[in-house]
Amino acid sequence: MKKLLTAFVGSLALITAPLAVSAEATKELKMAYDADPVTLDIHEQLSGGTLQLSHMAFDPLLRWTKDLDFEPRLAKSWERIDDNTMRFTLRKGVKFHTGNELTSKDVKFTFDRLKKSQDFKAIFKPISELKVIDDYTFDLITSEPYPLLLNTATYIFPLDSKFYSGKTEDGKDKSAITKHGNSFASQHLSGTGPYTVVERQQGVRMVFKRFKDYWDTDSPGNVDKIVLTPIKENNTRVSALLSGGVDFIAPVPPTDLDRIKRDPDTNLVTMSGTRIILLTMNEERVEAFKNPKVRQAIAYAVNQEGIAAKIMKGFATPAAQLSPKGYQGHNDSLKPRYDVAKAKELMKEAGYEDGFTITMMAPNNRYVNDDKIAQAVAAMLARINIKVDLKTLPKAQYWPEYDDRAADIMMIGWHADTEDSANFYEFLTMCPNKETGAGQYNAGNYCNPEIDAMVEKANVETDLDKRAALLQEVEKRLYDDAAFIPLHWQDLAWAAKKDVHIEPVLNVMNFPYLGDLVVE
């Protein structure tokens, strides 16, 4: 086994792999995101930042292509054995950053850990068992026929079971998942991915080095070192790119698209997005939110089209539901319903004509213009006599507050990483259940068992037309019940220096495959 290198950054120790550089990987990339990952434990939080890290330091069994097809990664092949069983065959000779070799045992260790994760257990509920056949073969077994098995397998990034097993010096379980805590896995990392983490200062700087024993020798990637600097302020992030301080940035704010287009040394890449930005209304904190008429009044008071046009500068699609166009659940009959007069009428009918005061929280560096959107919504609600005490926070501080349901209205964005409508409902609208993980991000505590039953039925329906009809009916019922306040689907934009070929590694999921990045 290769000797481990321990790098100390402040009070944080990171375990990394050998740092020798391959002949092909010689380039350095300086990139700036609006925020850096809040943890190194890829099972602690289901978020875009976590998945971006996963694709840098780990590898999935299979991954999405630009065309939303499946591409083999650590699993070189798979075949259906029966209606409930899919057999996977692993690549041989794949090494973790520690030098340990990947086997089916590591995949099972990872699967079992995912089933315990508060954020992932709902996704893996339909899969009842991972059965090891031999060192390089295993079966994923479902309790019923499940049409999204391969979609779900894209979440399996095998962990180094030897590395994450056992006890720390102070007697803590290395495999423990601790939300917003100081666990072994939140500070140490060993994957099979193209990069190791060699330096990390939360909120300041993160450095990645190419793993010299990376299995994918066909990858065109030639970047040896990546330096990630989180820059929350949009203007500062764009200025850093245009001045040459960094080579690649994301996201690009709508207000700066033209500014970047005018720069001859910079390339801009944009895509229509599928991430829904929405607001939850906490029915356990606010009695009035239990009344559907009050929730409907808020839905009528919020001007989605105005937000998309004025704040997002047209770089967003106004939403009236969770499922974007192209998803099975998208219901063409549902439209934004901005009507202040109707909102006031509903408030009067509900007995709240004089309004009330609520608290609201939103991040200020997670979604494009998130703080400005929250301010605009607060002003809109004032028109129906709902006074909003608004607080915005950096992402690292916001997520613990979100998990604690610390405000009456809270903002969240969600991209269905299974590329399926049911993922939205399972996490955002199902009755919260800590045991199953359902409703893990349902900060409104909305609960409608009839709708949940329809989602469960859709999850085992293999007839695509019947499944689509079920999911579209779910969207209609959520709309009628004003279960949440949809705002818009956020479009995507990245920018880089012309010698950084970002377009081939970008995708609508917004986790760039930076291991394949080529820099001239």
Side-chain angles (χ1 to χ4, degrees), residues 109-369:
F109 173 87
T110 304
F111 173 80
D112 292 344
R113 196 169 188 265
L114 284 162
K115 294 279 277 186
K116 297 174 184 175
S117 166
Q118 286 299 318
D119 279 31
F120 286 88
K121 64 167 60 175
I123 293 176
F124 285 87
K125 180 184 175 184
I127 306 177
S128 57
E129 181 185 359
L130 188 153
K131 182 180 179 181
V132 173
I133 306 301
D134 59 37
D135 280 353
Y136 303 102
T137 312
F138 64 89
D139 293 343
L140 284 180
I141 302 170
T142 59
S143 52
E144 299 179 78
Y146 182 51
L148 302 178
L149 181 61
L150 291 179
N151 305 51
T152 304
T154 64
Y155 283 106
I156 301 178
F157 294 80
L159 304 180
D160 184 344
S161 60
K162 292 180 181 177
F163 180 78
Y164 290 99
S165 295
K167 302 287 185 181
T168 62
E169 289 183 359
D170 55 359
K172 294 182 180 178
D173 182 0
K174 289 184 178 181
S175 69
I177 304 172
T178 306
K179 270 276 192 179
H180 315 298
N182 187 18
S183 68
F184 176 85
S186 70
Q187 298 182 59
H188 303 79
L189 181 153
S190 175
T192 63
Y195 297 104
T196 63
V197 178
V198 297
E199 181 181 332
R200 180 176 180 243
Q201 291 176 282
Q202 180 69 48
V204 178
R205 171 184 164 97
M206 195 167 182
V207 181
F208 299 83
K209 286 283 285 183
R210 190 101 182 166
F211 177 37
K212 74 165 188 176
D213 288 329
Y214 185 47
W215 65 271
D216 189 0
T217 55
D218 292 330
S219 171
N222 68 346
V223 176
D224 172 59
K225 180 180 179 182
I226 296 177
V227 180
L228 167 62
T229 303
I231 303 177
K232 182 184 75 172
E233 296 78 11
N234 288 334
N235 185 62
T236 305
R237 190 166 62 254
V238 173
S239 295
L241 175 68
L242 297 180
S243 67
V246 298
D247 309 308
F248 169 47
I249 66 169
V252 178
T255 51
D256 285 304
L257 295 174
D258 290 338
R259 181 182 170 196
I260 289 177
K261 287 177 183 176
R262 291 194 298 268
D263 184 74
D265 299 320
T266 305
N267 281 331
L268 176 72
V269 179
T270 62
M271 293 183 189
S272 296
T274 57
R275 180 184 300 280
I276 184 74
I277 307 298
L278 67 128
L279 300 171
T280 64
M281 297 167 285
N282 196 319
E283 297 180 25
E284 290 188 0
R285 289 176 59 98
V286 180
E287 183 68 25
F289 288 168
K290 294 179 180 179
N291 189 325
K293 289 188 176 181
V294 173
R295 299 197 303 270
Q296 290 163 3
I298 294 174
Y300 278 104
V302 174
N303 185 355
Q304 288 96 336
E305 292 175 335
I307 291 172
K310 295 181 180 180
I311 298 177
M312 298 299 291
K313 305 297 182 184
F315 202 61
T317 303
Q321 57 190 304
L322 294 171
S323 300
K325 196 170 185 64
Y327 276 43
Q328 279 193 304
H330 183 79
N331 190 322
D332 285 329
S333 70
L334 305 181
K335 308 295 181 184
R337 44 185 161 180
Y338 177 58
D339 186 335
V340 177
K342 177 68 172 177
K344 290 180 177 179
E345 179 184 328
L346 285 165
M347 288 289 282
K348 184 176 181 179
E349 290 177 8
Y352 292 98
E353 184 177 10
D354 295 333
F356 45 85
T357 298
I358 60 168
T359 59
M360 178 178 175
M361 281 188 184
N364 58 25
N365 67 338
R366 177 59 190 96
Y367 312 114
V368 177
N369 293 332

